[in-house]
Amino acid sequence: MQATDQRTEDRPTVRVRRSRLSAERERELYEAVVEMLQEVGYDALTMDAVAARTHSSKATLYRQWKSKPQLVATALRGTKPVLLEDVDTGSLRGDLREIVRCSGPSRERDTALMRGLAQAVHENEDLQEALRELLIYPEIEALNALLGRAVDRGEIAADAPALRYIAHIMCGAYIARPFIEAKEPDLEYLEDFIDAVILPVLGA
């Protein structure tokens, strides 16, 4: 299978310390950060405000996440309803449908958040790097593994030209519909997109 990971060897690596917080406390903090992103946007979000909202010390936040970009990127990943590495239904179609089904409860929120972050990403290199390292690249690696299993099962060819573009195609499904149709990408739309676009382009 052709690699979809576009990372380069010389890119800087974001490193985050092992968490000293409980899983419940981390989830609570991540949800608060996402709520604040929705309320005020990335630029107006401050570590002081996060500390106040979550009853944390700012020193603890910086010790754990180093910076606002790292905290935001980790919070976005930490509040995802499903991680790609947890999906394995035994078939490619089943995996893709499971991903969109499980993402349902937060789909509209996440799509709006990413649209809202688009401008900040263009203006903030640290945010861009944190999102890539902590959110996007782990998902791409998991997607590669998912597609690799489909290749091993003989569902798709190892040299299918579209393999390297599946992440782009899937992102496009979420981003394009609001602009083109003024509608959110609901479950029916996404399942039809899987059957009409993704599977055929892979030759599945």
Side-chain angles (χ1 to χ4, degrees), residues 5 7-8 15 17-18 23 26 40 50 55 63-64 70 80 110 115 121 126 139 154 158 170 176 182 194:
D5 193 338
R7 292 176 293 176
T8 56
R15 299 186 183 277
R17 287 185 179 182
R18 184 183 300 276
E26 274 198 349
V40 303
V50 172
H55 306 290
R63 183 168 57 249
Q64 183 65 48
Q70 288 193 32
K80 287 177 64 66
D110 291 346
R115 286 200 300 264
V121 166
D126 290 338
E139 291 288 272
M170 292 181 70
I194 289 169

Side-chain angles (χ1 to χ4, degrees), residues 153-165:
R153 290 191 296 261
E155 294 179 88
I156 53 180
D159 59 353
L163 273 172
R164 62 179 302 199
Y165 299 112

Side-chain angles (χ1 to χ4, degrees), residues 38-176:
Q38 292 176 285
E39 293 168 6
V40 303
Y42 178 80
D43 290 336
L45 180 70
T46 66
M47 296 294 265
D48 284 309
V50 172
R53 175 74 70 91
T54 61
H55 306 290
S56 307
S57 73
K58 191 164 69 169
T60 297
L61 297 179
Y62 276 111
R63 183 168 57 249
Q64 183 65 48
W65 289 282
K66 302 297 186 183
S67 67
K68 183 174 81 168
Q70 288 193 32
L71 174 57
V72 167
T74 308
L76 290 171
R77 180 167 173 80
T79 54
K80 287 177 64 66
V82 61
L83 298 176
L84 294 188
E85 55 260 39
D86 297 329
V87 176
D88 187 359
T89 67
S91 74
L92 177 59
R93 184 172 186 267
D95 287 349
L96 295 176
R97 290 172 70 91
E98 180 70 3
I99 291 168
V100 300
R101 185 188 67 79
C102 291
S103 66
S106 65
R107 187 183 303 121
E108 186 173 341
R109 181 207 71 182
D110 291 346
T111 302
L113 277 172
M114 295 313 294
R115 286 200 300 264
L117 283 171
Q119 185 62 37
V121 166
H122 284 296
E123 297 174 351
N124 189 313
E125 186 175 338
D126 290 338
L127 174 61
Q128 183 180 112
E129 186 62 32
L131 287 173
R132 285 176 174 165
E133 290 288 343
L134 300 172
L135 180 64
I136 297 171
Y137 290 147
E139 291 288 272
I140 288 178
E141 289 170 359
L143 179 62
N144 281 342
L146 184 153
L147 294 170
R149 292 195 298 271
V151 169
D152 293 340
R153 290 191 296 261
E155 294 179 88
I156 53 180
D159 59 353
L163 273 172
R164 62 179 302 199
Y165 299 112
I166 297 304
H168 304 76
I169 294 171
M170 292 181 70
C171 287
Y174 287 88
I175 296 171

